[in-house]
Amino acid sequence: MIVVTILLDVAGAGAAAQITATSYSLAVAAVQAFGMIRDIRKGHWGVDLLALMAIIATAVTGEYYASIVVVLMIASGQALDEFASARAQTQLRALLERAPRSAHRITEDGRESVAGGSGPIEDVPIDDLQVGDLLLVRPSEVVPADGTLTTDSATLDESMLTGESLPVDYRRGAHILSGSLNGADALTLRATATPAQSQYSQIVALVAEASASRSPTVRLADRFAVPFTVFALALAALSWFLSSDPTRAAAVLVAATPCPLLIAAPVAFLGGISRAARAGIIIRSTQALEQLARARSVAFDKTGTLTSGTPLVGGIVLGPTAGPLTEDEVLALAASAEQYSTHVLAAAITAEAARRGLALSPASRAQEFATDGVRAEVAGTMIAVGKRRFVEGLVGRVPDPTLSPGETAVYVGVGERFAGVILLRDALRSSAPSTVSSLVALGVREVLMLTGDVEATARHIAREAGVTTIHADCLPGDKVEIVRDLPERPVIMVGDGVNDAPVLAAADVGIAMGARGSTAASESAEVIITVDDLAKVTEAVLIGRRTLRIALQSIGIGIALSLVLMMGAALGLVPPLAGAFGQEGIDLLTILYALRAARAPRSGAAGRSAGRATPRA
C-alpha cells in the first residue's frame, strides 16, 4: 500500500494518494478495534488502544504516510515476534528434526547372525515398534526407543538429552535412552518402551508444552501497558494543548506504538526454556522458569536425590558362628541367593561380588519373601539373606551389629549358622555439598531435607551435605504439609521417587531427577533433569535468574527508549513519520536483546555443572 501511495503522489494525484492511504489505514484500525475489544473482554489490556489512536490521529491530521507506517509497524511487530519466538524454540526444532522416522527391527530367527554382522532385518515405521522388539542401531544413528543393551558394549552421544558433550560408555544390560546418538559401532537393544513412551518423545512433548505456556512476567507486561497507555495519552493531550498543534499529539502516539515490552518478555522466556533444554533441564512452563529465578527455599528428598540411590557394600562383619568362612565366601553365598531377587539391596550385594571377581553358584531352590529377604538352597545348603527377624527364623538369635549412621545391615544365615552381616550404605552424591552451598550463595534462605528415613541416618547425610534443617520419619502427606507451611517462598522441591510425586506437585516448583526417577514423579514436576547430576538444580536456578533479568532489562530498555522518543515528539523534534521508524528500531533492538536468554553466558559459568555425568552402565 505504501508503494501505491508513493506512485500516486509521484503521478501528481496527491488527493487520491491521501484518500487511498487513509482508507486503508482506517480499515486496519477497524480490525484492530475489534481485536482490542475482544482482548479487553478477556481481561488483557495492551497497547492496541495506542495503535488505534495513532492511526486515527495521523489520518485526521493528514499524516497519511505516518498512518501507513504505523500499519506496517503493527504487521512487522507481529512478524518480528513470530521470528524471535521461532529462534527461541530452536532446541525444540532440533529435537523434532533428529527424531527417527523408522527403525531396524531384527527378526527373532536372525538374532544370532545379526550379532555377527548379517541376518534378516526389516525397516519398519517408528510407530510400529513394540515393547520387546530387538532393534539394530547402526553407527551414527539415533536410538529410536528406550531399551536394554544386548551387545557387549556401546558408546553413545547423549548431548541432546543431557547437555553433556562427552560420549558415555555402556555395557551389556545397561538401559539406553532414545534420542542418544550411536557411536562408531553398531549395537542391538531390546525395546523396553514404545517410541511414544520413551524418553526422547517425552522430552519433545515437555519442551513443546513449555513453549506454549504464559509467564506471570508476560502478564505483568500486560499490566504495564495500562499506565504506559495512560501516560502516552496524557502526554499527547498536553503537547497538543501547549502547542496547539495536533500533529505533535499524533507524533507522540506514533512513538508509543507498539510498545516493545509486550514482545520482549515472551521472547526472553522462550529463549530461557531453549537454553535449559540444551543443558538437559526440561522446564515445562515459563511460570516455573520465573519461580526458579525468585526461589527462596529449597527442599531435598534424601534417597536418590542427595544420595546416589544406589546402595554400596561398606563392609562385612563375620558372625561368631561363621566358622572357617571368610568374608568373600559369605559374600559369594549371599550373592548366590540374592541373584534371584530384584530388590535394590540384592543388586548391591551381587554387584559387590562381581567387583571382587567372586563366582556365584546356582541355586536348586530359591524363594523371595517380600520386604523380608531371600531363601535359597545353594550346593545343598540353605542360605537365608535379609532382615534380622527373617534370618533368625533359620539360625536362631543373632547378635546386634554396631552400625554407623547411614548404614543398613543385611543378615546372612548359612545352614543353621549365623554367618555374618553385610553392611550397606547409600553414599552422598559428590555434587551435593557444592550444590547446597551454591544455592545458599545465590540467596536461597532455607535449605532443608525431607525423608522417610530415621533421624540418625538423616542427620548424618544432612551434615555431610551441609543441610541444617532436617525432617525425618516423614510420610508423603507430612512432606506436603511441611512444604506448604514454609514461610520463605517460592519453594523448590527436588525428588525422584513415586512417594515424591505429591510434594513435587505441592511445591511452587517441583524438580524431578528424571534420569532414573519414576514416571509419577516426572509428571508431577514442573522441571525434569534428564541427566543424573544434582548440580543441574543450581544451573536451573541460574538459567531462571538470567532469563528473568534479561526479560526485565528488555522491558526497561524498550520503555526508556520509547519515553525518550515520545518526549522528542512532544517537543516537536520528532515528526510522526520519524517517530514511526524510530519505534520500529526500538522494537528490533529489544527483541535482539531478549534473544540473549537463549545463549549461554560468555564466561560459561552459568552453563557448567559442578560435575560431569557419569555413565549409567
Side-chain angles (χ1 to χ4, degrees), residues 203-585:
I203 289 175
V204 172
L206 290 171
V207 175
E209 177 185 344
S211 300
S213 67
R214 186 172 172 84
S215 167
T217 294
V218 179
R219 293 193 292 268
L220 183 63
D222 291 343
R223 293 196 295 270
F224 281 165
V226 175
F228 186 86
T229 300
V230 172
F231 175 81
L233 292 174
L235 183 62
L238 181 64
S239 64
W240 186 1
F241 175 77
L242 294 177
S243 66
S244 300
D245 183 4
T247 304
R248 289 197 184 185
V252 171
L253 294 175
V254 169
T257 309
C259 183
L261 66 88
L262 297 182
I263 301 175
V267 170
F269 273 80
L270 290 176
I273 288 172
S274 176
R275 168 77 186 92
R278 288 198 301 273
I281 304 166
I282 306 302
I283 301 176
R284 301 177 69 168
S285 69
T286 52
Q287 180 178 356
L289 190 62
E290 181 169 352
Q291 295 283 56
L292 283 170
R294 301 185 186 277
R296 289 294 177 267
S297 298
V298 180
F300 291 95
D301 177 49
K302 182 183 77 67
T303 305
T305 303
L306 286 176
T307 66
S308 64
T310 304
L312 301 174
V313 174
I316 300 173
V317 179
L318 296 178
T321 59
L325 293 176
T326 64
E327 289 187 7
D328 280 356
E329 289 172 336
V330 170
L331 177 63
L333 289 171
S336 297
E338 292 277 43
Q339 66 181 317
Y340 300 98
S341 171
T342 59
H343 195 278
V344 63
L345 298 183
I349 292 173
T350 55
E352 178 65 15
R355 189 188 68 81
R356 298 190 184 190
L358 304 178
L360 304 187
S361 303
S364 56
R365 289 186 300 159
Q367 184 178 7
E368 183 169 12
F369 298 84
T371 74
D372 283 330
V374 172
R375 185 176 294 172
E377 187 174 336
V378 178
T381 302
M382 187 60 68
I383 309 296
V385 185
K387 292 182 177 179
R388 177 179 176 178
R389 65 174 181 270
F390 176 73
V391 173
E392 283 182 334
L394 178 67
V395 302
R397 184 171 178 81
V398 301
D400 290 325
T402 301
L403 299 179
S404 300
E407 285 187 333
T408 297
V410 175
Y411 297 82
V412 182
V414 177
E416 297 181 353
R417 294 179 296 165
F418 170 57
V421 175
I422 300 176
L423 303 177
L424 298 102
R425 62 177 302 165
D426 190 4
L428 185 75
R429 289 179 184 266
S430 60
S431 59
S434 61
T435 298
V436 171
S437 61
S438 297
L439 289 171
V440 173
L442 286 173
V444 173
R445 295 171 185 170
E446 186 169 5
V447 179
L448 58 156
M449 184 175 73
L450 310 178
T451 178
D453 280 354
V454 297
E455 178 79 16
T457 299
R459 191 164 297 281
H460 173 72
I461 294 296
R463 184 170 56 251
E464 288 186 338
V467 177
T468 55
T469 304
I470 306 162
H471 295 272
D473 297 310
C474 291
L475 297 174
D478 299 330
K479 295 182 180 181
V480 171
E481 285 188 23
I482 292 168
V483 165
R484 284 179 176 169
D485 292 341
L486 285 174
E488 296 289 349
R489 310 197 78 87
V491 178
I492 296 174
M493 175 66 202
V494 188
D496 77 326
V498 174
N499 62 343
D500 294 327
V503 69
L504 288 174
D508 297 310
V509 183
I511 299 181
M513 302 294 291
R516 293 183 301 173
S518 71
T519 302
S522 297
E523 289 179 351
S524 301
E526 288 282 299
V527 180
I528 296 95
I529 295 176
T530 63
V531 58
D532 195 24
D533 185 359
L534 189 64
K536 292 291 183 180
V537 174
T538 303
E539 189 169 352
V541 173
L542 286 169
I543 291 173
R545 292 196 172 193
R546 182 171 183 267
T547 300
L548 181 60
R549 183 175 67 251
I550 290 174
L552 294 177
Q553 287 173 349
S554 300
I555 291 172
I557 290 171
I559 290 178
L561 293 177
S562 294
L563 291 175
V564 170
L565 194 63
M566 290 161 60
M567 294 302 298
L571 295 173
L573 303 176
V574 181
L577 186 59
F581 284 115
Q583 185 56 247
E584 188 77 351

